[in-house]
């Protein structure tokens, strides 16, 4: 199918959507004299050891990015579901001092946010490529709110313009798949093994987790 846009002050855009099976679901476009190929299907990143951005090795993913995916306590449901890490990890939006605390397992990565802080620790990866991360958020008071985030990491490409030229850029994207709130000042060791996420109960003051749970995440 051809899409032709005419009578426009912009460059003529001709977009060719080809048979998905033949071109592997790529989108082929022509802008002016430039030809671009974009892949809408994200390529999941499973191995964090060699990844450009990681939860376990430098360059660490900024904890504030995960806090944005978590959303506000006063809201329900998901608002922000994906973020371009390539442009966000060291941006002004997520500015703050980042520290890394080595533990017996994966490190705890922490970032200052105004009067408070946010942090995370990697739990593991499912068979299908979903990464499981435990996060903590403090706004400056006594509350420390804990969540389990299920996210995917992927690479794709986008079309960018500086007002004069168009160019194809690679993106490293984090996407929220689901979340499990554990409440205020949760105390417990969350584990993931053989497809089972084990969340022990907690006797914390404000914790939502008053009974143990086992969740299948494949």
């Amino acid at each position: 199918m051809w899409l032709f846009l005419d009578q426009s002050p912009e460059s003529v855009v001709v977009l060719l959507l080809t048979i998905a099976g033949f071109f592997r679901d790529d989108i082929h476009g022509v802008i002016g004299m430039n030809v671009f190929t974009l892949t809408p299907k994200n390529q999941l990143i499973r191995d964090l050891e060699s990844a450009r951005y990681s939860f376990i090795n430098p360059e660490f993913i900024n904890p504030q990015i995960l806090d944005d995916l978590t959303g506000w306590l006063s809201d329900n449901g998901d608002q922000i579901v994906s973020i371009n890490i390539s442009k966000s990890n060291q941006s002004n939006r997520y500015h703050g001092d980042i520290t890394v605390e080595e533990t017996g397992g994966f490190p705890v990565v922490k970032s200052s946010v105004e009067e408070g802080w946010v942090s995370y620790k990697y739990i593991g990866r499912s068979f299908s490529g979903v990464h499981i991360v435990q996060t903590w958020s403090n706004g400056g008071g006594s509350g420390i709110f804990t969540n389990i985030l299920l996210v995917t990491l992927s690479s794709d490409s986008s079309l960018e313009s500086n007002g004069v030229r168009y160019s194809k850029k690679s993106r490293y994207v984090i996407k929220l798949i689901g979340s499990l709130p554990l409440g205020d000042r949760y105390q417990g060791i969350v584990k993931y093994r053989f497809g089972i996420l084990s969340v022990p109960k907690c006797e914390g003051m404000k914790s939502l987790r008053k009974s143990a749970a086992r969740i299948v995440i494949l």
Side-chain angles (χ1 to χ4, degrees):
M1 179 179 69
W2 286 85
L3 175 63
F4 182 78
L5 303 180
D6 199 1
Q7 299 180 355
S8 170
E10 302 293 334
S11 302
V12 174
V13 178
V14 181
L15 178 64
L16 173 61
L17 301 179
T18 58
I19 300 175
F22 184 78
F23 286 99
R24 298 182 181 179
D25 292 337
D26 286 353
I27 296 177
H28 302 268
V30 180
I31 300 181
M33 298 299 293
N34 298 316
V35 179
F36 300 94
T37 300
L38 304 179
T39 304
K41 279 192 174 181
N42 294 349
Q43 302 175 9
L44 288 184
I45 297 171
R46 301 169 181 267
D47 182 16
L48 294 181
E49 292 289 346
S50 57
R52 174 67 179 85
Y53 303 95
S54 174
F55 298 114
I56 61 176
N57 290 317
E59 181 176 344
F60 289 100
I61 296 173
N62 194 316
Q64 295 184 54
I65 291 178
L66 274 73
D67 192 54
D68 244 3
L69 293 176
T70 302
W72 290 7
L73 290 172
S74 57
D75 290 333
N76 294 320
D78 301 329
Q79 284 85 43
I80 299 175
V81 297
S82 64
I83 295 175
N84 178 7
I85 299 177
S86 304
K87 293 293 186 180
S88 302
N89 213 45
Q90 297 186 19
S91 64
N92 292 327
R93 176 188 179 98
Y94 298 118
H95 174 73
D97 295 330
I98 295 179
T99 59
V100 179
E101 177 186 351
E102 297 296 338
T103 64
F106 296 115
V108 175
V109 184
K110 186 175 183 179
S111 174
S112 59
V113 182
E114 297 180 351
E115 297 180 355
W117 51 268
V118 293
S119 64
Y120 67 75
K121 182 176 181 179
Y122 188 66
I123 302 298
R125 188 199 71 208
S126 74
F127 301 116
S128 61
V130 175
H131 298 278
I132 305 168
V133 187
Q134 185 171 357
T135 68
W136 297 267
S137 176
N138 171 265
S142 60
I144 301 176
F145 299 95
T146 309
N147 286 274
I148 301 295
L149 297 187
L150 309 179
V151 300
T152 57
L153 300 174
S154 61
S155 60
D156 66 7
S157 54
S158 65
L159 191 63
E160 293 186 0
S161 171
N162 60 6
V164 179
R165 293 184 177 181
Y166 292 89
S167 60
K168 177 181 175 181
K169 299 291 185 180
S170 297
R171 297 186 300 193
Y172 195 106
V173 178
I174 183 171
K175 181 178 180 180
L176 178 66
I177 303 301
S179 62
L180 175 64
L182 300 183
D184 183 11
R185 283 163 280 188
Y186 170 80
Q187 295 176 346
I189 300 177
V190 179
K191 296 181 179 180
Y192 179 78
R193 189 177 184 185
F194 302 127
I196 303 295
L197 178 66
S198 300
V199 183
K201 68 177 182 179
C202 174
E203 302 299 334
M205 295 174 57
K206 301 293 184 180
S207 176
L208 296 177
R209 186 57 53 184
K210 297 182 179 179
S211 60
R214 301 183 71 194
I215 304 168
V216 177
I217 303 176
L218 300 177

